[in-house]
Amino acid sequence: MAYLESRKNIAGSTGGLAGLALTFTGLAGTYWPAVVAGLYAAGALIAPPERPPAPEFADASSRLEAVREDFGTLRDYLDAVELPPAASGRLTELMELLGGLLAPGWVAMALATDPEGVHILSRAVHQDVPEAVDTFVRTRWWTRIAPGAEPPERQLEQQLALLHREAAALAAGLRETEARRQQTHTRHLEDRGRNG
């Protein structure tokens, strides 16, 4: 069935119809079956190949929605983990920033146009934050058994600070994009006022 609708069949059928027209006008003579078949084959050969449809991937807004749902799961996990006060404070700051970036509304709409930003948030929620906290929990257990090494709290605090800096840079980039948009609109209004 797919071949019947293909470009090759349509072009070949057009050639075959031209062969039939030559037959009815008397130009094909006794070799009319060969002329019709030959013109069909020629049309099928010169027809452009079928183009496979381009793959459809989830857009950034639907990926952002999935990250938002997973962010809730991450919050539930972090609520069950006991952290030292300094690391807990840094984690709270980071989670508030991530939550603000993932909140539905105009920020999410601006972020949905930035696939790299969605990737940064996805990596933070799916990999970086859970790994930092889980590694701390496991390392803290070993430190209790064999004390003397560097406290794992310092590494966790440093990791959370780096993740906060990355998320803050993303927020600053989004803010800068909106500021440029506002400036562009101001220039547009100024130009319109001069020309009007």
Side-chain angles (χ1 to χ4, degrees):
M1 187 63 167
Y3 181 76
L4 292 177
E5 298 173 351
S6 71
R7 293 178 183 173
K8 291 192 174 295
N9 186 47
I10 292 171
S13 297
T14 304
L17 286 175
L20 286 175
L22 291 174
T23 301
F24 291 130
T25 58
L27 296 174
T30 58
Y31 300 107
W32 71 269
V35 170
V36 171
L39 288 175
Y40 177 87
L45 287 174
I46 64 169
E50 292 295 319
R51 183 183 61 85
E56 293 184 22
F57 298 109
D59 62 350
S61 61
S62 63
R63 288 197 322 253
L64 191 60
E65 182 61 36
V67 173
R68 188 177 295 124
E69 290 174 14
D70 293 341
F71 182 70
T73 304
L74 176 62
R75 276 193 185 274
D76 294 342
Y77 163 72
L78 295 175
D79 288 343
V81 176
E82 183 183 330
L83 297 176
S88 180
R90 286 197 182 272
L91 182 62
T92 300
E93 291 173 4
L94 173 62
M95 293 302 284
E96 285 175 359
L97 181 55
L98 293 175
L101 289 169
L102 287 168
W106 68 269
V107 175
M109 289 189 304
L111 189 58
T113 63
D114 180 14
E116 182 61 28
V118 174
H119 174 70
I120 289 170
L121 284 177
S122 176
R123 186 178 60 211
V125 169
H126 294 132
Q127 179 182 350
D128 294 336
V129 174
E131 186 173 335
V133 172
D134 185 58
T135 304
F136 163 76
V137 170
R138 287 185 281 129
T139 305
R140 180 179 57 179
W141 184 82
W142 285 106
T143 304
R144 289 178 182 165
I145 292 176
E150 179 184 13
E153 292 85 4
R154 287 190 197 145
Q155 290 290 323
L156 177 61
E157 290 172 26
Q158 183 179 3
Q159 291 168 0
L160 294 174
L162 291 169
L163 290 171
H164 188 276
R165 188 178 315 146
E166 184 177 43
L170 174 61
L174 291 171
R175 181 181 62 235
E176 183 179 320
T177 299
E178 292 302 315
R180 280 195 309 264
R181 183 174 169 210
Q182 184 182 29
Q183 292 167 356
T184 301
H185 187 61
T186 301
R187 282 193 299 272
H188 168 72
L189 292 174
E190 289 171 348
D191 292 343
R192 192 170 71 185
R194 282 188 218 118
N195 297 331

